[in-house]
Amino acid sequence: RPTPPALERDSMRFYVHSEEEPSFALPVQWDDADTRPVEALLQLFLAAYAAKGGKRSAAQIALSSSDGRLLAPKARVLAVVEDGGDVFAAVRPSGAAASASASASAKAPARSAAPAADAKGAEAEALQKVLAPYLDAAQKAWDNRGYRQAKEIYGELITVHPKLPIALRRLGEIELFCERADPAVGWLLKASRAAPKDAEVRGLLGEAYALQGEPEEAQEAFEIALELTKGKKGKKKARVALGRALFMDPRPGKRAAGGQMLTSILHEDMEDDVALQAYGEACIELNQSEDALKIFLRMIVAKSTDKQTRKLLARALMSPDGLTQLEEQLPDSTGSAAALAFLATVVKDHSGISQSIALYGRAVRICPDSASYALNLVHTAELRFDHAAALRPLYAFCAANPSLAVGDLTCATFAAALPDLASLPSL
């Protein structure tokens, strides 16, 4: 999978310090998959130290933790060094003292020692206090839909705290909003590792995998999200997400399983918007435009600004017999003109230009005195660079409303000054 290299693998960061002249601190980023021992870390440090003018050798120094314990040369770095911690280059002791110290280091890893755990807890609490103003600012930007600003702040936060769950999650969500599947998967994988019990993060990861075209991974993420989710309402939402993923899965048998799951959920509560939306989307996929339109025309009344509802309604209207089905469900009448104009706007926003023209045309036929409907029809026809088609509603409006005037200029006077439409050259 073409995930950006920086997001493929977790790693920890720490420093190796030398307090003797020349004093030196080496920043180290150590991959979680790196199983090399402490002696390899020492060689890495000595090479960097020599480049700074230091003259120490492995025979003279050893590495120790912040509490002075020597790190056993054969112990894995991952077992004895803390993420975000500090390692020190110390004078190597001799004899039994060195052996006892190294043995203690190997048997009592930094990650399991009670004093180290207490220190880590205190350090985490202090870090949380430092980060609090930045987290508040990022959340405020998020709540106000200032996603660019939120991304900048969360991006800065992870340079300080690389495994901060909320920052990793939000960065993934922003990429998901923008439909950038690869970086969304990368960030949300990191977020799921940082917070393995967070059901919402797993659900978001499932959405990112689905967007990336990885149905198997999406299904696995949604199944884990369902297992982790608590509460009846949350469980239902997770089941819908899993059912939808199964329905969209091209592998044999998955669509049928997903369809059965969605149907079962909908039968439990026919008023549930989440289940209705997923079921309506399945109807679109099966070219069942009649059922899809019934669902989304009903939903759009209460959710007129909801992006996903508008998108799916537009897809239903743009299906092969979408406009035919709409005429049956919404026949021409004085009261339907406004609804038709609204639907024309919705479908135009999702590139359904021909469908939008047809819907504005119906609205104009119902209300020939509406300048708003006529102008929208003109402007929508212009999007197809069909200027003759764009002019016809203008001529028709003037003919239908001869006495309508702006100041002393009536539509009749204006129309008389226009050339005959049929005589105009092809535009």
Side-chain angles (χ1 to χ4, degrees):
R1 185 179 300 117
T3 306
L7 302 179
E8 280 183 345
R9 177 182 292 171
D10 275 356
S11 61
M12 66 177 184
R13 298 173 67 183
F14 56 89
Y15 286 88
V16 182
H17 302 268
S18 173
E19 296 181 342
E20 293 189 9
E21 291 297 332
S23 60
F24 175 59
L26 174 67
V28 178
Q29 184 159 329
W30 198 271
D31 288 339
D32 280 355
D34 193 334
T35 60
R36 287 181 296 165
V38 168
E39 58 189 5
L41 175 61
L42 176 58
Q43 293 300 325
L44 179 68
F45 169 76
L46 289 173
Y49 189 63
K52 293 291 183 180
K55 300 184 183 299
R56 288 173 150 189
S57 68
Q60 297 172 311
I61 64 169
L63 297 181
S64 70
S65 62
S66 57
D67 61 1
R69 291 180 297 106
L70 289 184
L71 305 182
K74 299 298 183 183
R76 290 185 179 184
V77 172
L78 291 172
V80 295
V81 178
E82 288 282 354
D83 186 16
D86 294 287
V87 176
F88 293 86
V91 175
R92 181 181 291 278
S94 59
S99 175
S101 178
S103 176
S105 172
K107 292 178 180 179
R111 294 183 180 183
S112 61
D118 292 342
K120 185 177 181 181
E123 182 182 346
E125 185 176 349
L127 180 60
Q128 192 69 21
K129 289 180 180 179
V130 172
L131 297 182
Y134 302 97
L135 287 167
D136 290 344
Q139 186 62 46
K140 184 177 180 181
W142 179 269
D143 292 340
N144 292 330
R145 299 186 180 183
Y147 299 127
R148 183 185 298 276
Q149 182 184 7
K151 181 178 180 179
E152 290 176 359
I153 300 172
Y154 285 125
E156 291 174 5
L157 284 169
I158 62 167
T159 64
V160 178
H161 193 331
K163 296 184 180 181
L164 185 63
I166 185 60
L168 296 169
R169 170 182 169 166
R170 293 302 195 211
L171 289 169
E173 284 185 278
I174 290 169
E175 298 299 336
L176 199 54
F177 289 159
C178 298
E179 299 188 347
R180 293 191 287 260
D182 291 347
V185 166
W187 288 120
L188 292 167
L189 267 176
K190 278 182 165 285
S192 68
R193 290 167 183 158
K197 300 297 184 182
D198 191 321
E200 290 187 7
V201 167
R202 293 286 182 171
L204 291 167
L205 179 58
E207 290 181 33
Y209 274 133
L211 181 63
Q212 195 180 47
E214 298 288 355
E216 189 171 354
E217 286 85 349
Q219 180 183 337
E220 181 182 358
F222 284 128
E223 286 174 344
I224 295 172
L226 177 57
E227 183 179 340
L228 294 172
T229 300
K230 308 297 181 184
K232 185 176 179 181
K233 186 175 181 180
K235 283 281 188 185
K236 180 181 286 186
K237 184 178 179 181
R239 285 172 63 205
V240 169
L242 176 57
R244 180 185 178 278
L246 287 169
F247 185 84
M248 298 299 178
D249 192 332
R251 292 177 295 168
K254 297 296 183 179
R255 168 159 287 193
Q260 290 173 2
M261 181 178 287
L262 292 176
T263 302
S264 174
I265 296 168
L266 190 60
H267 283 166
E268 293 171 12
D269 183 1
M270 298 294 288
E271 302 299 319
D272 186 274
D273 281 350
V274 176
L276 271 173
Q277 186 178 87
Y279 189 84
E281 186 176 9
C283 289
I284 294 173
E285 293 292 327
L286 295 172
N287 292 319
Q288 296 173 357
S289 54
E290 180 181 0
D291 291 337
L293 276 173
K294 285 179 180 177
I295 290 171
F296 293 118
L297 287 174
R298 175 182 171 184
M299 291 185 67
I300 200 69
V301 174
K303 304 175 73 174
S304 61
T305 61
D306 182 72
K307 289 184 178 179
Q308 186 64 10
T309 302
R310 291 171 69 99
K311 180 179 179 179
L312 291 170
L313 174 56
R315 283 186 60 194
L317 290 167
M318 292 163 65
S319 61
D321 62 340
L323 293 184
T324 302
Q325 292 294 337
L326 181 66
E327 282 195 62
E328 295 181 10
Q329 298 184 37
L330 187 64
D332 287 358
S333 68
T334 304
S336 65
L340 290 167
F342 170 76
L343 295 176
T345 302
V346 170
V347 75
K348 181 174 69 173
D349 289 344
H350 293 86
S351 303
I353 303 303
S354 61
Q355 291 83 4
S356 181
I357 290 172
L359 291 169
Y360 276 129
R362 285 182 61 190
V364 166
R365 286 196 301 273
I366 295 168
C367 296
D369 59 342
S370 172
S372 174
Y373 299 160
L375 283 173
N376 274 291
L377 179 54
V378 168
H379 294 316
T380 306
E382 283 183 312
L383 295 176
R384 300 175 69 179
F385 300 101
D386 187 347
H387 300 295
L391 283 170
R392 289 191 193 101
L394 173 64
Y395 279 68
F397 179 80
C398 290
N401 301 278
S403 60
L404 188 65
V406 176
D408 295 330
L409 179 61
T410 65
C411 283
T413 303
F414 179 71
L418 294 174
D420 182 63
L421 186 60
S423 70
L424 293 176
S426 178
L427 298 176

